[in-house]
Amino acid sequence: MQKRVVFRSKSLPYLLLAPQIIVTVVFFFWPAYQALESSLFIEDAFGFSREFVGFDNFRALFADDVYLASFKVTLVFGFSVTLLTMGISLALAVAADRALRGATAYRTFLIWPYAVAPAIAGVLWHFLMNPSLGIVSYWLDALFGTDWNHYVSGQQALLMVIVAASWKQISYNFLFFLAGLQSIPRSLVEAAAIDRAGPTRRFWTIVFPLLAPTTFFLLVVNLVYAFFDTFSLIDATTHGGPANATSTLVVKVYQTGFVGQDYGASAAQSVILMLIVIAMTIVQFRYIDRRVNY
Amino acid sequence: MATVEIRDLTKIYPGGVSAVESVNATIGDGEFVVLVGPSGCGKSTILRMIAGLETITGGDLLIDGARVNDREPGERDIAMVFQNYALYPHMTVRRNMEYGLRNEGRAKDEIARRISEAARMLRLEDYLDRKPRQLSGGQRQRVAMGRAIVRDPKVFLFDEPLSNLDAKLRTQLRAELKALHDRLKATFVYVTHDQVEAMSLADRIAIMNAGRIEQIGTPMEVYQRPATRFVADFIGNPAMNFIEGRLDEGGHIKVDGTDVAQLGQAAPLHAGAKVIVGVRPEHLSLDASDPADGMMSLSMAATFQEQLGADTVIHGKVLGTDDALTLRLNGIHTVTPGQRINLGADTAHLHFFDAETGARLSA
C-alpha cells in the first residue's frame, strides 16, 4: 500500500514548490531562452542595437577553423581526462578494497582533492608545473631532461590541464568505484579463486563486468565534467592558450562573449553546448537503467 | 577422490580472536563428513581453511597426503558450494559451469561433454541458457552443485548449502545430495548448523563447540553415546533432558534420594560430586507403576503439549524442581497444565556426565 499525502489547501503544494521553480526558471530557463534568442542576432559590442540574422551565427561558427579546432581540443581533453581519472581511480579503489583495514584512513585522504575548488586546483598545478619555479617541471628537467614550458608549448599546456582536471576528479570516481567493489559479494570472487582464476583473470572476468553499471555512470559524469565543468580550471591556468591549444568549447564561449564581446556568436556556441548536454543526458537515462540489471 | 587430514589446525584472527583451536581429524576417501555446531563454533572457518579462503595460523592440512597449507585455492583441486550459491550473475548457467574448466584450459568438446553430463544428472538441461536471476532457489543451488561436479575435484566442500531454502525444498535437496554422493563416491565435507541435516547426510559427524571438535562419530554413535553433555544436548530433537544427581559413597547415582544407577569403579569423581543424568524425551515412558530393576522412575508436572500428529511432545518440569523436562510419546495425548505424570526410563538409556567438565562418565 502506498500512502498518499493529501493537501487540504490547493495553494500549499505550489507554495512549497515555488522556491525550486523560481531558482530553475531564473537561473536555467531564462538564460537558456536568452541564449536561444541572442544566437539569432548580431549585437554591437555596447548593446545599443542588434539585427536579426537567422542562423548566420551558426553558419559562421562552422566555417571558423578556430572554432572547429576547439571542438577537437574538447574531445581530446574530455576523453583523456575521463580515461586518466577513471583508470587511476579504479586502480586506487581496487587497492583500497584489498587493504580492508587501512581503508578508512586511505579513503579519507583520497577524498580530499574533491573538496578543492576547480580554480584553486588549477592554480596549484600551475605552480607545481611553473617552468621557472615549479617543482614538477624541475623534476622533469632533472629526470628526463624535459624542457617544460606550458607557456610556449601547446601540447604541454594541454597535458597540464588534463592532469589537473583528472587529479581533481579522482576522489569522486574513487568513491563510486569503491562502493561498487564493496557491493560485489565476496563469495563470487572466492568462487572464482576456487575455479582456478588468478587475480588478474578474476578482475577482468568477474569484478569488472559486475562494475559495469558504475563504470558507465562515471563515464557519462566524467565526460560532462570535462566538457562543461572545467572552465574555471582552464581559465585560471592557461586562459585557453597558448594559441588556443587548451581552448575547449566552454572556454571559447567565454572568450567569444566576454572577451571578444561577440554576444551573438557566443550565444550560438552556448546553444550548441546545450544540445550536446541534452544528447548526453538522453544517452545516460536510456542506457543506464538497462545496464544496471545484469 | 582423496583423503583430507587436519593436524592441530588452528585459526587465530588478527586481534587475537581464536576461531579454531588445535583441531585434528582424518576424512577418508569417499567419506561424507558433516561439521555441525552452533553459529560461531568455527565450523565454517575450518571449511574455508580447507578451501584456502582463510590462511591457516597453525597446524597442517593434507589433501591426499600432500601438505597444501600454502597453496592457492585454485591449486588444491577442491570445489565449493556456497550458502548464497555465489553464481556469477552476468553469466548464463552454462557459462557458470564452464568457467572453472575454461580456466583450466580444457578442450572444447571435453567441456561440452562434462556440462551435458552434469546438466543431465541435475536436471538442468532446459536452463543452460538462462541467467541465475531467472532461476528459483532450488535451481540455483543445483547450478552451484553442477559447477562443482564438472570440475571433478578431489574434495567437495559445502558451506550450509541448503539453509537459504524453504523446509520442503531442503528435504528434497537433502535426498538428492545423498544420492549424488552415492553416485560420485567422492569425498564430501559439509558444514551445517542443522543437526537433522547432519544426521541424515553424514557417514560421520563432527560436532563442534567453541573452536574444538567435541566428538566425531557415525550418526548413531553420537546419538547413542554422546561424548559430552554438549553433544548430548545438540544431537536429537527435542533435546535431551538433564537432571542433576549426586554420587554417593558406593558409586551409586542418586536423583532426589532415589538410586538411579551404579557407576563403574573407574569413575574419577569423589562421593558427593554432582552428576548430570541425561535421558532423551523419546526414552521416557508412562509405565512407571513399579520401580523395578533396571528402571528409573521420575515424576513430572506438565505445562503444555505439542501435538505433532504422529507424536505428542509434552513439556513440563521435574516435580518439585525447576528443571525442564520434555517427554515424547507416540500417538495423541492430552495433558492439563499442572497435571502430575509418573514416568519411567530404562537405565540402559541413561547418560551420565560430570557436572563440572561435561565429560561422559563411563557406561
Side-chain angles (χ1 to χ4, degrees):
Chain A
M1 272 279 290
Q2 208 175 357
K3 248 192 160 179
R4 291 188 68 176
V5 179
V6 180
F7 290 104
R8 290 232 181 93
S9 138
K10 285 217 161 161
S11 53
L12 182 61
Y14 294 101
L15 205 66
L16 292 172
L17 279 174
Q20 181 64 51
I21 289 176
I22 290 169
V23 167
T24 311
V25 168
V26 170
F27 291 102
F28 292 91
F29 288 122
W30 189 16
Y33 168 74
Q34 288 219 314
L36 273 173
E37 195 200 15
S38 10
S39 71
L40 305 176
F41 288 87
I42 287 182
E43 194 170 330
D44 74 86
F46 305 100
F48 290 135
S49 63
R50 62 182 197 172
E51 186 190 340
F52 181 79
V53 292
F55 289 106
D56 274 2
N57 280 327
F58 292 94
R59 274 184 215 112
L61 276 182
F62 286 106
D64 180 3
D65 285 343
V66 178
Y67 185 70
L68 294 177
S70 112
F71 247 107
K72 210 182 111 195
V73 169
T74 308
L75 288 179
V76 172
F77 176 76
F79 282 97
S80 307
V81 167
T82 303
L83 281 180
L84 192 64
T85 192
M86 285 179 75
I88 295 174
S89 316
L90 183 57
L92 291 173
V94 168
D97 190 43
R98 280 209 192 132
L100 279 166
R101 300 204 163 262
T104 13
Y106 189 67
R107 199 158 41 194
T108 312
F109 289 132
L110 279 164
I111 293 165
W112 280 354
Y114 196 58
V116 178
I120 307 220
V123 171
L124 181 80
W125 281 92
H126 188 64
F127 271 125
L128 284 173
M129 308 200 78
N130 186 295
S132 44
L133 303 167
I135 185 80
V136 176
S137 56
Y138 172 76
W139 284 337
L140 284 173
D141 189 26
L143 291 173
F144 306 108
T146 314
D147 184 15
W148 185 270
N149 191 344
H150 59 255
Y151 293 110
V152 177
S153 162
Q155 277 182 348
Q156 287 180 357
L158 186 58
L159 191 62
M160 183 179 76
V161 288
I162 287 171
V163 168
S166 307
W167 173 79
K168 168 135 180 35
Q169 199 68 357
I170 283 173
S171 326
Y172 182 85
N173 285 270
F174 168 79
L175 275 185
F176 275 88
F177 274 131
L178 188 65
L181 286 171
Q182 290 187 337
S183 71
I184 295 175
R186 260 192 86 70
S187 60
L188 286 182
V189 179
E190 290 175 346
I194 289 174
D195 269 344
R196 301 214 162 159
T200 316
R201 193 166 160 75
R202 283 203 294 271
F203 180 78
W204 289 113
T205 56
I206 307 290
V207 176
F208 193 69
L210 294 180
L211 269 184
T214 311
T215 311
F216 185 75
F217 164 77
L218 287 176
L219 188 71
V220 176
V221 166
N222 286 319
L223 282 175
V224 170
Y225 159 81
F227 286 172
F228 309 107
D229 240 7
T230 45
F231 164 74
S232 51
L233 187 147
I234 295 176
D235 191 56
T237 45
T238 62
H239 308 289
N244 290 323
T246 53
S247 165
T248 60
L249 290 173
V250 200
V251 176
K252 194 81 172 64
V253 169
Y254 171 80
Q255 286 175 337
T256 311
F258 294 90
V259 181
Q261 309 266 295
D262 185 351
Y263 297 123
S266 176
Q269 291 176 23
S270 304
V271 171
I272 291 170
L273 279 180
M274 227 186 303
L275 293 177
I276 297 175
V277 177
I278 290 169
M280 288 177 75
T281 312
I282 290 172
V283 168
Q284 177 164 14
F285 276 116
R286 284 201 67 153
Y287 291 99
I288 199 154
D289 286 333
R290 228 174 281 171
R291 294 297 304 268
V292 167
N293 303 313
Y294 30 74
Chain B
M1 312 274 156
T3 59
V4 177
E5 215 182 319
I6 54 184
R7 293 182 192 151
D8 294 324
L9 201 67
T10 300
K11 176 73 190 183
I12 298 166
Y13 283 105
V17 181
S18 164
V20 174
E21 292 168 19
S22 268
V23 165
N24 285 286
T26 304
I27 298 163
D29 186 13
E31 202 176 12
F32 196 141
V33 169
V34 176
L35 297 172
V36 68
S39 53
C41 70
K43 55 192 192 296
S44 286
T45 310
I46 291 188
L47 195 78
R48 291 171 59 81
M49 282 196 279
I50 298 176
L53 301 174
E54 297 279 354
T55 54
I56 295 172
T57 323
D60 296 313
L61 169 68
L62 288 81
I63 295 179
D64 244 2
R67 188 176 184 274
V68 295
N69 281 36
D70 304 317
R71 281 198 208 160
E72 290 292 314
E75 294 164 359
R76 297 187 182 194
D77 206 1
I78 45 124
M80 181 153 164
V81 176
F82 292 80
Q83 179 176 1
N84 65 0
Y85 323 128
L87 299 177
Y88 312 124
H90 57 300
M91 298 184 191
T92 61
V93 169
R94 186 192 301 278
R95 280 285 188 173
N96 261 284
M97 300 203 327
E98 278 177 351
Y99 186 72
L101 297 173
R102 282 169 172 261
N103 292 340
E104 287 172 12
R106 304 259 176 192
K108 267 199 178 142
D109 51 335
E110 191 195 347
I111 293 178
R113 185 176 53 73
R114 286 199 192 190
I115 300 283
S116 68
E117 208 173 285
R120 192 164 36 74
M121 201 189 293
L122 296 163
R123 303 193 313 280
L124 285 170
E125 286 132 313
D126 298 337
Y127 307 108
L128 283 176
D129 295 314
R130 296 212 191 160
K131 294 270 179 73
R133 71 183 147 89
Q134 298 167 301
L135 302 177
S136 69
Q139 288 165 343
R140 285 182 206 183
Q141 193 51 278
R142 286 213 293 272
V143 175
M145 286 181 200
R147 193 170 64 182
I149 291 169
V150 294
R151 297 263 320 278
D152 192 20
K154 283 182 177 169
V155 183
F156 286 84
L157 307 173
F158 296 88
D159 189 5
E160 310 222 10
L162 305 183
S163 43
N164 279 4
L165 303 172
D166 63 63
K168 200 176 168 196
L169 205 55
R170 211 177 321 171
T171 316
Q172 186 194 331
L173 275 168
R174 209 160 67 198
E176 287 185 23
L177 205 59
K178 187 81 181 153
L180 190 70
H181 178 252
D182 290 344
R183 186 166 177 168
L184 294 172
K185 295 185 174 45
T187 311
F188 277 34
V189 184
Y190 189 104
V191 161
T192 181
H193 62 268
D194 179 352
Q195 53 108 1
V196 179
E197 220 168 278
M199 294 291 277
S200 61
L201 287 171
D203 292 331
R204 280 196 301 153
I205 298 181
I207 296 112
M208 292 199 58
N209 181 30
R212 294 173 185 281
I213 292 183
E214 297 259 334
Q215 185 177 7
I216 303 189
T218 65
M220 286 310 105
E221 273 168 23
V222 297
Y223 176 78
Q224 288 168 342
R225 282 183 53 85
T228 64
R229 181 185 165 162
F230 179 85
V231 174
D233 195 23
F234 196 84
I235 298 293
N237 186 29
M240 189 185 276
N241 298 300
F242 297 102
I243 305 154
E244 200 176 276
R246 275 188 192 280
L247 201 65
D248 75 359
E249 287 78 9
H252 295 277
I253 293 168
K254 303 211 168 192
V255 175
D256 223 3
T258 337
D259 197 353
V260 293
Q262 165 84 44
L263 209 58
Q265 297 299 322
L269 295 175
H270 56 85
K274 278 187 192 168
V275 171
I276 302 289
V277 179
V279 58
R280 295 200 181 275
E282 54 269 38
H283 293 147
L284 286 168
S285 56
L286 292 174
D287 47 322
S289 47
D290 178 28
D293 234 18
M295 289 294 281
M296 174 180 100
S297 71
L298 177 81
S299 298
M300 119 188 238
T303 48
F304 69 97
Q305 78 228 342
E306 295 173 302
Q307 291 181 331
L308 306 174
D311 298 313
T312 303
V313 177
I314 298 169
H315 296 266
K317 285 178 177 163
V318 177
L319 204 67
T321 73
D322 256 351
D323 292 340
L325 193 70
T326 315
L327 158 70
R328 181 178 189 153
L329 298 169
N330 278 328
I332 298 166
H333 299 260
T334 314
V335 294
T336 51
Q339 184 183 336
R340 178 189 164 127
I341 306 170
N342 291 321
L343 302 168
D346 190 335
T347 47
H349 284 142
L350 298 184
H351 307 266
F352 304 104
F353 304 99
D354 186 331
E356 296 287 317
T357 62
R360 185 182 185 86
L361 298 170
S362 68

